[in-house]
Amino acid sequence: MPTPGEQTLAGSIPWRSASDVPIDFEGPDIAFSPFDPIHGPETPILALIAAQNEAAPDRIAIEDDEGIVTYGTLMDAIYALAASIAAAVPPAQPVGIRLHDTRQGPIALLACLLAATPAVLLDRMDPPDRLAKLVAASRLAAIITEDEFPGLICIKPTARAAAPFAARPLAQDAPAFVVWTSGSSGQPKGIVHSQRSVLHRAGLLVNSAHLGSTDRYLSFNTPSSMGALLNALAAFLSGAALHRVDIARYGLARVLRRLRDKRITAVMGVPAIYRAIAQMPGASAAMSSVRVLSSNGEALLAADLALLRSCLPPTSHIQMVYGATETQAAMRFIPTSEKSADAQVAAGRPIPGTQFAVIREDGTPAPDGEAGELFIRSRYTAIGEWQEGRCIEGRLRYEVDTESGWRHYAMGDLVRLRSDGNFLVIGRSDRQLKLRGHRIEPIEIEAILRGDAAVHDSVVLPIAGPVGPELVAFVAVEPRWHAETRLRLDALLTARIPGYMRPRRLHLLPALPLLSSNKIDIFSLTRLDASTTEQQ
């Protein structure tokens, strides 16, 4: 059922245009070759990368823990893998990608594009249960992986087909990439993007940060995320060298070494990673060449901003990039003189190519300065959701004139539009949240907990911790079953969901406290957690 805001938006609410403030305002002023925001998204991705190859085939395209790939060898590798995909998979059939964080990930994404098979991004860190669920829901025709996966055609990332290969055509607004996120129904949700939608977003990164061929661009976003996809495209569109470090295998010490030894100039990642790096010995020296630091994935706290400023060069620019897997919403550079009066830093101004509306709970427009849910309207949103092997509309609402390509999306964030034109995110209209760059729906965790026969009810809450929100689970279980249930639930969560979704603490209670309205008493649970934590 649509929210009040969605019902009204289908009627007469006027959309507001994006700000006239340039996206590089307060940012870098170095010369670069801008990405064409009008014609660029209408050009096939591989044609744009081929132009970089023609201009400088010996320039570094990717550097990872194993070595380097030039733009010339990048194109060769893409064609070789695409030939193997085409030999095994018909056009328009989805192909999974489950790889370590190396050069092979971006190559596989582009090879799927060349073979006209939608690329489905899968996380190597997902437990077997969750992975099996995503594979089944995706209806994969094959999977690109270094491992064996029974029941599926497995293609090695270094595969080379013997037969010649001709590139398959793929429409600019056809399904190209599927990114899985945690869904509001308690089930994971596959978000479908086209070439047009990702090119617009990657182009914004290029044009705001003034990325160019002399840049060394280090991406901290996990390989199966929207951020990693956009980072790779932004590097390739600008001719920069994309750097990847497999943090899961080698840790943050390897990241610090890469920053220092390769003189990284631009980085993109989530605040949790920056927070950890900034507190490591030698961080200031390692980050001395960084001219642009972009933060995405979750709120940047005022304390994080102060910490970053303490270890970045005074000439560096810190950028906020705010959006969802479905759409980009806002971005901005933080003025060097800014001191945030709020606990978190403002998310940014609405981006070019979009319109927006801030809607109150009653479905009417929220005046500037007042909270409401943020809606985004654009030709460059995701094109739908992936269900049973095909793209459906899902929460992406198409306009009456479907030929125009305009869609609108309810962000789910409660925001205030400040007098300076920046959005301040103050919460969620639903209970979805972001932790360490991952979007999480607590209902998905609750659904797993409630699957245990001894559990009567459960709720998972984000509760403030020493360095940001932490997931805390409260489970109603008969006292006589507490000991064995705790062990069983711990094992169940470990098997079913990745580490970033697992609650930090698990409280077993005889019953969940309720308000007079029969709603769960969140305040009482928060107070219970605080008192328990203090005693430990």
Side-chain angles (χ1 to χ4, degrees):
M1 178 177 293
T3 67
E6 287 178 299
Q7 290 171 339
T8 309
L9 286 173
S12 59
I13 291 295
W15 292 96
R16 301 174 62 177
S17 296
S19 168
D20 292 330
V21 177
I23 57 174
D24 58 357
F25 180 66
E26 299 281 3
D29 58 3
I30 63 173
F32 77 114
S33 297
F35 180 76
D36 185 338
I38 304 300
H39 300 102
E42 306 306 322
T43 306
I45 289 172
L46 287 162
L48 294 167
I49 298 175
Q52 294 293 343
N53 174 42
E54 291 171 9
D58 295 330
R59 185 189 301 148
I60 294 174
I62 310 174
E63 184 161 354
D64 61 11
D65 298 300
E66 300 172 359
I68 64 171
V69 176
T70 65
Y71 274 91
T73 53
L74 172 66
M75 294 303 298
D76 291 342
I78 292 168
Y79 267 86
L81 182 54
S84 295
I85 297 169
V89 181
Q93 296 301 303
V95 173
I97 299 175
R98 183 176 181 265
L99 297 168
H100 287 291
D101 193 352
T102 68
R103 69 189 71 179
Q104 302 299 347
I107 290 170
L109 286 168
L110 298 172
C112 286
L113 199 61
L114 190 62
T117 57
V120 180
L121 284 65
L122 299 170
D123 192 340
R124 277 193 62 87
M125 303 307 291
D126 277 344
D129 265 14
R130 181 180 171 88
L131 177 61
K133 180 185 290 186
L134 297 186
V135 167
S138 300
R139 300 286 180 90
L140 296 183
I143 185 168
I144 302 171
T145 179
E146 295 109 339
D147 309 312
E148 295 301 320
F149 207 99
L152 268 181
I153 297 172
C154 294
I155 301 171
K156 297 294 183 185
T158 54
R160 299 289 183 269
F165 169 71
R168 295 166 168 174
L170 182 68
Q172 205 66 3
D173 213 23
F177 308 102
V178 179
V179 181
W180 282 99
T181 70
S182 181
S184 57
S185 64
Q187 298 297 323
K189 181 171 58 174
I191 307 303
V192 186
H193 276 276
S194 66
Q195 294 188 78
R196 177 183 292 126
S197 63
V198 296
L199 279 171
H200 178 257
R201 293 177 69 168
L204 291 170
L205 297 178
V206 173
N207 292 348
S208 60
H210 290 205
L211 293 176
S213 59
T214 60
D215 275 307
R216 295 167 296 282
Y217 187 29
L218 176 56
S219 170
F220 294 132
N221 295 119
T222 53
S224 60
S225 69
M226 189 70 195
L229 169 59
L230 296 176
N231 296 161
L233 292 179
F236 300 152
L237 295 179
S238 63
L242 174 69
H243 282 251
R244 299 290 316 188
V245 175
D246 196 334
I247 298 174
R249 285 201 286 184
Y250 302 115
L252 290 178
R254 179 75 64 96
V255 171
L256 208 65
R257 191 157 63 246
R258 180 73 64 86
L259 283 162
R260 183 193 63 221
D261 295 349
K262 298 301 179 179
R263 305 290 295 163
I264 297 299
T265 60
V267 294
M268 172 72 85
V270 299
I273 290 288
Y274 291 142
R275 194 180 299 129
I277 291 172
Q279 297 180 75
M280 295 174 68
S284 293
M287 300 177 79
S288 63
S289 57
V290 174
R291 65 175 188 84
V292 174
L293 180 146
S294 301
S295 177
N296 71 346
E298 61 188 21
L300 183 73
L301 304 179
D304 298 332
L305 177 60
L307 181 62
L308 287 172
R309 283 174 170 165
S310 72
C311 61
L312 284 169
T315 54
S316 285
H317 299 280
I318 299 176
Q319 182 186 36
M320 297 295 297
V321 180
Y322 165 57
T325 303
E326 290 84 350
T327 185
Q328 192 69 46
M331 57 190 354
R332 72 169 182 132
F333 285 96
I334 304 171
T336 54
S337 59
E338 179 174 307
K339 291 182 172 60
S340 179
D342 299 290
Q344 63 188 53
V345 178
R349 300 176 186 86
I351 59 169
T354 65
Q355 295 177 331
F356 72 94
V358 181
I359 304 299
R360 293 187 292 201
E361 192 173 0
D362 63 2
T364 60
D368 290 358
E370 187 175 317
E373 183 177 1
L374 178 60
F375 287 73
I376 297 294
R377 179 178 185 261
S378 173
R379 294 180 67 236
Y380 305 111
T381 67
I383 60 174
E385 297 177 11
W386 196 254
Q387 289 190 15
E388 304 300 330
R390 64 188 182 92
C391 182
I392 66 167
E393 185 180 76
R395 288 186 64 190
L396 275 298
R397 301 287 184 244
Y398 281 77
E399 306 289 300
V400 174
D401 175 16
T402 55
E403 293 301 316
S404 71
W406 283 85
R407 299 174 285 271
H408 70 257
Y409 176 70
M411 290 287 292
D413 285 332
L414 295 175
V415 305
R416 285 193 288 108
L417 186 63
R418 303 194 319 188
S419 58
D420 62 1
N422 284 299
F423 292 127
L424 181 68
V425 181
I426 59 176
R428 292 290 303 173
S429 61
D430 51 20
R431 293 176 50 239
Q432 182 189 91
L433 65 147
K434 286 184 178 178
L435 291 176
R436 295 178 289 280
H438 299 280
R439 194 170 71 178
I440 297 170
E441 291 283 359
I443 193 172
E444 185 179 356
I445 309 169
E446 291 165 3
I448 293 172
L449 292 170
R450 290 172 185 158
D452 187 279
V455 172
H456 300 306
D457 202 359
S458 68
V459 63
V460 176
L461 302 176
I463 293 180
V467 292
E470 300 174 339
L471 287 176
V472 181
F474 302 86
V475 180
V477 179
E478 289 185 31
R480 60 191 176 125
W481 303 119
H482 276 196
E484 61 186 73
T485 302
R486 180 180 294 278
L487 292 173
R488 198 163 58 245
L489 292 180
D490 285 341
L492 187 63
L493 292 170
T494 300
R496 296 283 298 280
I497 56 177
Y500 63 81
M501 290 180 67
R502 291 173 205 151
R504 180 65 63 89
R505 292 179 293 283
L506 180 66
H507 297 283
L508 300 185
L509 308 171
L512 299 183
L514 300 178
L515 299 168
S516 58
S517 62
N518 287 323
K519 293 182 179 179
I520 294 173
D521 187 345
I522 302 300
F523 177 75
S524 292
L525 291 175
T526 304
R527 189 170 52 188
L528 168 68
D529 179 70
S531 64
T532 306
T533 304
E534 288 172 3
Q535 294 170 11
Q536 292 177 346

